[in-house]
Amino acid sequence: MSFNKLLSEKKPAILKKWFDAILDTYPAETADFLKKQKDRFANPVGSTIYSGMDSLLNSLLNADDPDTISKYLDDIVRIRAVQDFTPSQSLAFVFKLKDAVREEMSGESNAGDFPGELIAFERRVDALALTAFDIYMKCREKIYDLKANELRNMTVKLVERANLIFEARYRDIDLKDLVLEGNKSERGE
Amino acid sequence: MATIDFQGKQIEVDEDGYLVNLDDWVKDVGIQMAKGDGMELTDAHWEVINFLREYYAKYQIAPMIKILVKEIAKVMGPEKGNTKYLYELFPDGPAKQACRYAGLPKPTGCV
Amino acid sequence: MAKFTAKPKDLIQIDFKNPKTGWMDTPVEIREHMFCHPAKAKELETVGFPNIHEWRPQDENWNLPEGWKETVLNGIKERLQKYRSFHVFMDICVRCGACADKCHFYLGTGDPKNMPVLRAELLRSIYRKYFTASGKILGKTAGARELTEDVLKEIWYYYYQCTECRRCSVFCPYGIDQAEITMIGRELTNLLGLQLGWIGGPVANCYMKGNHLGLEPHTIKSNIEMMLDDIETITGIRINPTFNRKGAEILFVTPSGDLFAMPGIYTAMGYLMLFHELGLDYTWSTYASEGGNFGFFSSNEMAKRLNSKIYAEAKRLGVKWVLGGECGHMWRVLHQYMDTWNGPADFLEVPKSPITGTVFDNAKSAKMTHISEFTADLIKHGKLKLDKSRNDHLKVTFHDSCNTARGMGMFEEPRYIIKNVCNHFYEMPENTIREKTFCCGSGTGLNASENMELRMRGGLPRANAVKYVHEQHGVNMLANVCAIDRATLSASMDYWVPGVGVAGISELVGNALVMEGEKERTADLRGETLPGKEGAE
């Protein structure tokens, strides 16, 4: 049996261990709720983290492209980045995947057959951690941006708009495309 | 309450660095605040700051930027009544930065 | 989070598991980005708030006034006598936990003290200790505890992590209104001068100038003039509204955010266009220039005081009834309190649409009707000519504002309007709308900037549902009927669901409204080119 095949077989157990590890960072009653409530709208944190981890595991197995992996990671890190954690606490969950994999594989008599594959897999997890750090910083910067710029947003985005409308009106040139662009940037497109 | 030291005198500012009392403002306070941000205020900056202060004196609130741009265009011509120009002058955003140097409070409420 | 405190040596032995202690033994930790700045002294002086003093939430010492404990306990005693509801809510909770996971702050933070039941326990434990026999004798065993400075800080911290949205109350088998408990908790801390700037400022402005932003009469006029210019550019029609006009049939009152903030001004443009098209005999007031009421986030008395100008102005102008704009908490106040606080408004008539003849019996006593009720009735009677295609660039979903939904039960009218002015409307999942709607996360004066992290946490459950319709249907516009929503959901969308804008419903009406004598529209109210009109002029 190949390493990947074994990993696929063990995936449900690995996912459960990995998910439990991240739940341990929440207060006990909260962890319980995050685990049990399956409705994704009644439990945005638990369901987003769970489905994010599930997708991440699949992506690691399929060796998906970095953008896809990054998207799933973003879903989880975006939440962790605004919760009561230090940066290390926020992101430690990534490394917990290594523990989960090793623990699940250790029971297998033939786990030792894949030292090379295991190391390669763990390197992918390390890369995942670095990506998580990038995302985490982007999220934190966004928070500070929002904080610093809200006053600006309430008025200055109008500058852009007003200016474009102004130019269209007073200079008699068609700047509608620019107006459209301004609106797009306001919607974050 | 936070304060800034201005010519040996303590002037009250809020958590975001805006003056608490409008009456504490003199031109040099604006200059000192800008220096703190690493900025040298030129005549072009003062045109906008003075406009803001005049607007405030009349309306008792900092203008919506939409109005700021329009009015500046009216008074100073379209080459100054535009975003790019105002952003070049006040990189942190005209409303935010210029209002602070002008000693005007920031608006609060459903905004 | 946000404290980068881990030292290298700690990293080696860092425990990522959460410590397990009971809530009473878990001391409060006041964290940056979770609270709002204190109010300025002069704002509090303006409205006569007591015990004004220097303090900062992050400091160890809050400089509490001498005898603060007696002040709080007397405050509780007085309120137990005054509000039977408060007394009942302190006694009847059986801690069944139905409310626990219904709070947007709990869902976003995972902090057990954000469970409504536990948030209420913070105060209940004090009530038990000082006002019940079992608490006095049994103490902690009976869920009672001493009122200490730390306990006070904890109450303050968590009562400003509640937006009084009342979602939890929908699920409470006893109907305990947690919002009322938060209101009392805030009143008590206000007795000690612990008010927020984002509440104290608007309250002082509203008291002195009639509105939260402090817009003076000529500023209001000037801002509306600017909107009229834009309306003329877009439609070719010049509108001439009146201000403070005696003898008008209707007084129109809206939150001042609609006159100043983005994207609120587009909502206001929608009102102006609609009223013009109807030829409505109405007037704006520069005195009753605020429908919202941040006094409601301070104390019952302050809310009553700030609200009084609406009836006073209606009486002075001699109007028949009052029409109200798109605001959330404004409607809880108008619908549930105004009449008993400052009524009876027997000098007014029951609101009756001069266009359709519909009598709004639901406003029989308060004499004030919501713009969505008014507009939906117009559409129902075929009184508006609407071109839905002008909103074809928008894929719209509707966010029920907590207060119009749970505070006045208005679910259908906004949806009916949207469906008649937009071709693309998609509902968010059932357990996140109508009476189960999730708060924007920034209501009750928590819409400052310094507490952005708190706002993002609280905004997650709402944003999570928006994200779903954004991914499923390409929704790009979050419609609502609340000025705080318009002011704050933009930031929430920016963080959680980039690509979704925020708009008041009257803006969408303004887009679709075919006005007599208008030129061919090529842009919507934001100046954005309409689909199919590229290159047209």
Side-chain angles (χ1 to χ4, degrees):
Chain A
M1 190 188 278
S2 74
F3 176 79
N4 257 24
K5 180 124 190 291
L6 187 61
L7 205 59
S8 299
E9 269 178 17
K10 297 276 178 192
K11 202 200 114 188
I14 294 170
L15 178 60
K16 188 183 174 298
K17 272 219 164 77
W18 195 23
F19 187 54
D20 284 346
I22 202 169
L23 290 184
D24 264 349
T25 62
Y26 294 93
E29 52 270 67
T30 299
D32 200 42
F33 163 72
L34 294 177
K35 195 173 185 171
K36 283 185 186 149
Q37 174 55 264
K38 302 294 181 202
D39 182 308
R40 62 183 277 196
F41 303 106
N43 177 13
V45 171
S47 60
T48 304
I49 291 177
Y50 186 81
S51 68
M53 285 182 154
D54 188 23
S55 305
L56 275 174
L57 269 179
N58 288 336
S59 281
L60 287 171
L61 279 166
N62 304 335
D64 281 345
D65 63 285
D67 283 353
T68 310
I69 292 181
S70 188
K71 189 199 159 294
Y72 299 135
L73 200 52
D74 187 288
D75 289 342
I76 302 174
V77 174
R78 192 163 292 275
I79 289 173
R80 304 278 294 175
V82 294
Q83 294 185 322
D84 269 342
F85 301 113
T86 62
S88 56
Q89 287 169 337
S90 273
L91 301 181
F93 77 91
V94 179
F95 298 105
K96 295 284 175 187
L97 176 56
K98 289 190 197 177
D99 297 348
V101 168
R102 282 191 178 238
E103 280 168 31
E104 279 307 314
M105 301 290 244
S106 68
E108 291 299 316
S109 53
N110 54 353
D113 296 349
F114 317 105
E117 282 95 333
L118 186 62
I119 287 171
F121 179 83
E122 292 194 338
R123 280 202 181 130
R124 290 215 291 281
V125 175
D126 290 341
L128 200 64
L130 294 175
T131 310
F133 190 66
D134 285 346
I135 296 169
Y136 179 87
M137 281 313 292
K138 256 188 228 154
C139 289
R140 294 304 307 171
E141 278 165 15
K142 187 80 196 173
I143 293 288
Y144 286 101
D145 269 359
L146 288 172
K147 174 177 146 61
N149 295 343
E150 203 161 63
L151 178 67
R152 207 173 100 171
N153 289 346
M154 77 170 98
T155 45
V156 173
K157 284 227 164 118
L158 277 168
V159 175
E160 296 156 26
R161 173 84 27 68
N163 175 35
L164 294 165
I165 290 170
F166 159 81
E167 288 189 0
R169 196 181 298 158
Y170 295 97
R171 282 194 183 156
D172 217 23
I173 28 176
D174 188 5
L175 286 173
K176 286 200 187 104
D177 291 344
L178 285 172
V179 175
L180 193 62
E181 217 149 79
N183 284 323
K184 273 185 183 162
S185 80
E186 177 156 286
R187 292 203 304 262
E189 286 170 25
Chain B
M1 190 60 75
T3 57
I4 52 168
D5 183 82
F6 175 68
Q7 298 174 352
K9 192 183 145 202
Q10 296 302 308
I11 296 183
E12 270 186 280
V13 291
D14 72 10
E15 296 80 357
D16 297 317
Y18 290 79
L19 287 190
V20 171
N21 302 305
L22 223 63
D23 299 339
D24 285 340
W25 190 88
V26 289
K27 213 173 159 179
D28 286 341
V29 170
I31 293 173
Q32 181 178 315
M33 282 179 166
K35 261 196 190 136
D37 295 343
M39 272 178 66
E40 209 55 64
L41 296 181
T42 64
D43 287 351
H45 290 103
W46 282 107
E47 275 183 345
V48 177
I49 294 173
N50 288 334
F51 171 82
L52 285 171
R53 286 194 62 85
E54 278 162 30
Y55 185 94
Y56 190 90
K58 190 172 168 193
Y59 293 108
Q60 298 297 301
I61 190 166
M64 288 173 66
I65 286 290
K66 203 163 177 165
I67 288 178
L68 172 67
V69 173
K70 257 190 195 174
E71 292 299 316
I72 285 183
K74 244 188 245 170
V75 182
M76 304 176 205
E79 69 282 0
K80 292 184 181 172
N82 68 67
T83 328
K84 194 166 165 281
Y85 176 78
L86 288 171
Y87 260 109
E88 276 165 12
L89 282 180
F90 298 101
D92 280 355
K96 201 178 154 197
Q97 209 169 6
C99 282
R100 191 157 64 81
Y101 301 158
L104 311 184
K106 58 175 195 271
T108 52
C110 296
V111 288
Chain C
M1 114 92 252
K3 279 192 180 167
F4 295 78
T5 49
K7 294 178 191 74
K9 70 172 170 60
D10 300 335
L11 278 174
I12 307 160
Q13 56 202 20
I14 199 157
D15 182 8
F16 294 107
K17 293 188 179 176
N18 204 285
K20 290 168 179 58
T21 48
W23 71 268
M24 275 199 204
D25 302 316
T26 312
V28 62
E29 191 185 335
I30 310 260
R31 289 167 187 264
E32 293 272 358
H33 311 296
M34 291 291 284
F35 57 80
C36 299
H37 298 320
K40 296 187 177 87
K42 67 179 174 190
E43 290 159 350
L44 300 181
E45 277 161 17
T46 301
V47 286
F49 271 117
N51 283 316
I52 301 165
H53 67 283
E54 286 278 318
W55 70 290
R56 298 194 314 158
Q58 64 270 44
D59 290 347
E60 190 60 39
N61 185 353
W62 281 12
N63 300 321
L64 293 174
E66 215 169 293
W68 67 267
K69 202 167 154 179
E70 284 65 42
T71 305
V72 172
L73 294 177
N74 288 336
I76 295 175
K77 192 175 170 194
E78 192 191 319
R79 282 160 185 78
L80 286 170
Q81 288 162 352
K82 196 168 161 194
Y83 306 114
R84 192 167 153 65
S85 55
F86 177 52
H87 204 160
V88 169
F89 296 158
M90 286 294 102
D91 281 327
I92 58 169
C93 175
V94 291
R95 282 172 275 181
C96 71
C99 63
D101 55 3
K102 306 305 187 296
C103 170
H104 53 291
F105 281 114
Y106 176 65
L107 293 179
T109 61
D111 182 344
K113 284 176 191 166
N114 280 136
M115 293 175 173
V117 53
L118 205 39
R119 196 184 288 111
E121 283 292 305
L122 301 180
L123 191 54
R124 261 190 210 114
S125 55
I126 307 304
Y127 162 74
R128 290 196 194 101
K129 177 77 193 171
Y130 298 93
F131 299 93
T132 67
S134 61
K136 277 175 194 163
I137 299 160
L138 297 170
K140 199 173 164 183
T141 331
R145 62 173 177 170
E146 292 273 346
L147 177 58
T148 65
E149 211 165 318
D150 280 342
V151 166
L152 178 77
K153 285 179 177 179
E154 186 175 64
I155 290 173
W156 181 87
Y157 188 59
Y158 285 102
Y159 280 49
Y160 286 102
Q161 292 184 37
C162 165
T163 44
E164 301 175 8
C165 82
R166 302 164 79 232
R167 186 172 193 266
C168 52
S169 308
V170 172
F171 299 89
C172 175
Y174 286 92
I176 296 174
D177 189 339
Q178 299 286 356
E180 294 208 4
I181 298 173
T182 295
M183 286 153 81
I184 301 280
R186 289 187 179 193
E187 280 196 30
L188 294 171
T189 54
N190 277 334
L191 295 175
L192 306 176
L194 305 173
Q195 179 62 285
L196 309 186
W198 206 266
I199 296 175
V203 163
N205 274 337
C206 202
Y207 182 62
M208 294 302 285
K209 298 183 179 177
N211 58 75
H212 293 152
L213 284 157
L215 304 173
E216 303 214 339
H218 55 299
T219 315
I220 293 175
K221 252 187 113 173
S222 145
N223 283 9
I224 289 183
E225 286 291 327
M226 179 210 64
M227 296 178 208
L228 299 175
D229 290 347
D230 283 2
I231 292 172
E232 189 174 2
T233 307
I234 294 162
T235 66
I237 294 170
R238 186 73 199 180
I239 295 174
N240 291 300
T242 60
F243 297 88
N244 309 321
R245 178 166 58 89
K246 286 191 177 176
E249 183 180 353
I250 298 164
L251 166 65
F252 180 64
V253 179
T254 202
S256 62
D258 286 351
L259 303 176
F260 188 88
M262 284 281 284
I265 57 165
Y266 302 123
T267 307
M269 283 163 71
Y271 306 144
L272 286 160
M273 292 161 72
L274 176 69
F275 300 157
H276 168 85
E277 190 54 25
L278 297 172
L280 202 66
D281 179 14
Y282 85 107
T283 186
W284 294 79
S285 165
T286 56
Y287 169 58
S289 50
E290 180 63 70
N293 192 328
F294 275 36
F296 196 55
F297 313 142
S298 315
S299 71
N300 189 55
E301 284 67 31
M302 191 58 65
K304 179 180 173 180
R305 193 166 158 195
L306 298 183
N307 170 263
S308 63
K309 65 182 179 288
I310 296 180
Y311 281 155
E313 183 69 337
K315 194 169 195 177
R316 187 182 76 88
L317 296 176
V319 300
K320 287 185 182 160
W321 57 280
V322 189
L323 181 60
E326 296 182 16
C327 182
H329 72 280
M330 154 179 168
W331 282 101
R332 174 134 197 250
V333 170
L334 302 178
H335 195 73
Q336 302 189 344
Y337 295 84
M338 177 164 76
D339 189 23
T340 40
W341 276 342
N342 295 311
D346 44 15
F347 52 92
L348 293 172
E349 295 173 12
V350 179
K352 178 181 173 182
S353 171
I355 316 298
T356 65
T358 299
V359 178
F360 296 97
D361 278 326
N362 58 328
K364 202 176 220 165
S365 185
K367 315 283 201 302
M368 189 154 175
T369 293
H370 191 287
I371 182 81
S372 288
E373 296 171 324
F374 181 71
T375 307
D377 172 63
L378 291 167
I379 295 173
K380 184 93 181 164
H381 285 86
K383 298 294 182 188
L384 300 181
K385 213 172 148 194
L386 300 164
D387 179 358
K388 289 171 147 188
S389 74
R390 290 177 187 168
N391 281 318
D392 274 356
H393 53 316
L394 304 177
K395 292 195 165 134
V396 182
T397 191
F398 178 64
H399 160 70
D400 292 88
S401 304
C402 310
N403 285 295
T404 52
R406 289 185 282 267
M408 67 185 292
M410 188 175 76
F411 305 120
E412 301 308 330
E413 288 87 345
R415 290 177 166 81
Y416 181 75
I417 296 170
I418 295 174
K419 285 177 196 161
N420 277 281
V421 299
C422 297
N423 280 314
H424 311 295
F425 173 62
Y426 303 93
E427 287 277 17
M428 285 182 275
E430 173 277 325
N431 54 348
T432 72
I433 56 171
R434 296 176 184 261
E435 73 274 16
K436 291 177 195 153
T437 187
F438 277 117
C439 178
C440 64
S442 308
T444 62
L446 302 186
N447 53 323
S449 299
E450 59 269 18
N451 61 335
M452 193 55 78
E453 201 167 306
L454 172 73
R455 287 177 48 190
M456 291 306 111
R457 296 180 190 190
L460 171 60
R462 167 42 75 223
N464 179 56
V466 177
K467 191 176 180 193
Y468 175 75
V469 284
H470 175 65
E471 286 169 353
Q472 292 286 312
H473 308 291
V475 161
N476 61 4
M477 189 53 81
L478 181 54
N480 59 75
V481 284
C482 168
I484 292 181
D485 284 333
R486 288 191 283 278
T488 68
L489 281 170
S490 299
S492 174
M493 291 301 109
D494 203 3
Y495 186 79
W496 294 114
V497 204
V500 177
V502 178
I505 284 185
S506 292
E507 177 189 343
L508 306 177
V509 172
N511 279 340
L513 185 68
V514 179
M515 299 170 76
E516 206 178 311
E518 72 179 8
K519 67 176 192 186
E520 194 196 349
R521 297 230 202 141
T522 55
D524 66 11
L525 298 193
R526 302 187 178 197
E528 188 163 339
T529 308
L530 290 171
K533 303 290 180 185
E534 297 84 359
E537 187 48 276

